[in-house]
Amino acid sequence: MAEFTMELNDDQKQVRDWIHGFAADVIRPAAAEWDEREETPWPVIQEAAKVGIYSLDFYAQQFFDPTGLGVPMAMEELFWGDAGIALSIVGTGLAAIGVLANGTEEQIGTWIPQMYGTPDDVKVAAFCSSEPDAGSDVGAMRTRAVYDQAADEWVLNGTKTWATNGGIANVHIVVAVVDPELGTKGHASFIVPPGTPGLSQGQKFKKHGIRASHTAEVVLEDVRVPGSCLLGGKEKLDERLARAREKAKAGGERVKNAAMATFEASRPAVGAMAVGTARAAYEVALDYAKTRTQFGRPIIDNQGVAFQLADMRTQIDAARLLVWRASWMAIAGKPFTAAEGSMSKLYASEVAKKVTAQAVQILGGNGFTREYPVERMHRDAAIYTIFEGTSEIQRLVIARTLSGMPIR
């Protein structure tokens, strides 16, 4: 187990500088164009694939960094470049992680390469969980999967929403209810192969921010997938459902806590994305304040502006430290006894909204125009307090963890 440190080693610094260079040279120059177009930036994804950033190997290397800092470091630099394009680059990872975490070796070897494609023919994947009536309340999920034993096929019906890459993906990973009497314990995940009949894109959302990332509904109408597309296999599912049906109090608590630990471990990565966006806005505001003159002097000479920048940098650094602590705890196997994963995501996302708003204010009228990037960064930052659990859900998780009480 690596000791916690706030100093990146030489290898990590090299990777960080490499990603930062790609973000500065490739992502940033394209950011405004793809934000306006509100389309998937396929050329940028292809460039990321050519240099090795858009690949399973890259994310695996960062994920297995023994210090735990590989993923947050990479996320911060990519999202420093631009949140919408960065999410288009990392969005496939959500589906890939779902297969890695729950799939068999055969499923991993078969489907993850198809999620990414090749540098000459890039593909994307989608993870489909949220529904129109089941966002924070995953227990309200209605998409059903029914097993057709005679054909050894699963039949999926329902509508998913807020799916990154939904409908344009080569491979979709769909979470569905297999036993409604078991609530959230009766869910399972399925691989929907390319070109499967019955899967279609519903509404494509025109969003306030992260416009370069494709977000849409996914409609499933009698979608039939082979039994081999159930993640983990039917034997494993049957065993899990049987245990859940026992309804033993101790066993139920163990299942719930394991699920909580899984969600907690993923949230620091979103916190790192928020840190990247906040840092980008702060840097623009700092440079502007040092060069913009009013009343015969740079505006940073004014205490009101200087103090804002001091607070912005302090909050960004504090957010990064929370993210790094949680990331290190996750890789070290330390329990989140105070919901440290949710803490990092909550604080970093709130900081991103606040810092980007302050950046707009420091730039004044210029900050309100699309000629300067802080306007886009401010719009992008709004998503961090919403996806991967809203700020209200994070506070609920933290409060329940601290108190041990079923706070509602």
Side-chain angles (χ1 to χ4, degrees):
M1 181 181 73
E3 293 297 324
F4 180 74
T5 175
M6 292 183 288
E7 180 67 26
L8 299 178
N9 60 42
D10 290 341
D11 289 342
Q12 290 170 324
K13 290 177 182 177
Q14 185 177 6
V15 172
R16 178 199 62 192
D17 293 345
W18 170 53
I19 301 170
H20 183 83
F22 181 84
D25 298 338
V26 181
I27 294 179
R28 278 211 169 176
E33 175 188 353
W34 292 100
D35 177 73
E36 290 287 346
R37 292 175 63 166
E38 297 191 53
E39 297 174 357
T40 301
W42 291 107
V44 183
I45 298 174
Q46 186 173 39
E47 287 301 310
K50 287 180 178 178
V51 301
I53 290 177
Y54 184 71
S55 69
L56 178 63
D57 287 344
F58 170 76
Y59 293 111
Q61 289 173 11
Q62 306 317 310
F63 184 81
F64 291 111
D65 182 326
T67 69
L69 301 184
V71 170
M73 178 186 66
M75 293 301 105
E76 179 177 337
E77 295 304 329
L78 288 171
F79 281 74
W80 172 89
D82 176 68
I85 292 178
L87 192 57
S88 288
I89 292 172
V90 307
T92 292
L94 298 174
I97 289 171
V99 176
L100 281 170
N102 302 298
T104 64
E105 290 186 7
E106 182 179 357
Q107 289 170 334
I108 293 170
T110 299
W111 296 108
I112 291 184
Q114 296 187 50
M115 293 180 176
Y116 287 93
T118 67
D120 294 326
D121 185 22
V122 293
K123 305 293 184 183
V124 295
F127 183 78
C128 309
S129 178
S130 295
E131 298 185 3
D133 296 317
S136 298
D137 182 11
V138 294
M141 189 177 294
R142 295 180 180 177
T143 297
R144 291 291 307 275
V146 178
Y147 185 57
D148 181 346
Q149 187 171 2
D152 186 26
E153 292 179 334
W154 289 89
V155 185
L156 280 63
N157 281 282
T159 299
K160 294 295 182 179
T161 193
W162 309 122
T164 298
N165 298 330
I168 66 170
N170 197 45
V171 178
H172 292 76
I173 304 299
V174 177
V175 182
V177 179
V178 294
D179 189 334
E181 294 183 1
L182 295 177
T184 57
K185 298 174 189 176
H187 295 176
S189 297
F190 299 85
I191 302 161
V192 181
T196 300
L199 184 147
S200 62
Q201 179 182 308
Q203 176 187 5
K204 178 188 174 183
F205 296 104
K206 297 181 72 66
K207 305 187 298 295
H208 176 66
I210 56 168
R211 295 179 181 178
S213 174
H214 176 97
T215 310
E217 291 181 330
V218 174
V219 180
L220 304 129
E221 297 179 312
D222 291 329
V223 171
R224 285 182 168 267
V225 299
S228 60
C229 285
L230 166 65
L231 279 180
K234 193 167 188 305
E235 182 177 349
K236 183 177 178 181
L237 172 65
D238 289 342
E239 291 175 356
R240 178 166 62 82
L241 296 178
R243 287 196 303 270
R245 291 189 186 102
E246 293 176 0
K247 298 181 180 179
K249 183 177 181 180
E253 287 299 309
R254 283 196 295 270
V255 170
K256 181 179 72 173
N257 290 338
M260 181 68 72
T262 300
F263 285 122
E264 280 289 288
S266 69
R267 283 171 175 157
V270 180
M273 298 174 187
V275 170
T277 299
R279 188 184 113 211
Y282 158 77
E283 290 176 0
V284 173
L286 177 62
D287 289 343
Y288 185 89
K290 291 192 292 186
T291 57
R292 170 70 169 172
T293 59
Q294 290 286 279
F295 305 106
R297 61 181 183 178
I299 62 173
I300 199 170
D301 282 357
N302 298 308
Q303 199 176 82
V305 173
F307 280 14
Q308 281 193 74
L309 289 163
D311 287 344
M312 291 159 74
R313 176 60 185 267
T314 300
Q315 291 162 1
I316 291 167
D317 282 11
R320 183 184 297 107
L321 289 174
L322 283 172
V323 167
W324 282 20
R325 179 185 69 168
S327 300
W328 173 76
M329 290 177 68
I331 201 73
K334 293 186 175 292
F336 288 154
T337 55
E340 287 87 350
S342 287
M343 281 186 183
S344 69
K345 194 270 183 183
L346 168 65
Y347 188 74
S349 62
E350 296 288 349
V351 164
K353 286 186 67 173
K354 183 176 181 180
V355 165
T356 54
Q358 288 176 301
V360 170
Q361 188 68 24
I362 289 171
L363 269 67
N366 286 328
F368 199 65
T369 72
R370 295 188 186 178
E371 297 301 314
Y372 288 79
V374 293
E375 178 271 340
R376 184 180 67 252
M377 295 168 183
H378 183 43
R379 286 188 285 106
D380 291 342
I383 194 59
Y384 297 126
T385 61
I386 298 172
F387 70 1
E388 193 72 14
T390 63
S391 287
E392 292 74 23
I393 288 295
Q394 307 307 321
R395 291 186 173 96
L396 187 63
V397 170
I398 296 166
R400 285 177 174 177
T401 304
L402 295 176
S403 68
M405 303 296 290
I407 299 168
R408 298 187 182 279

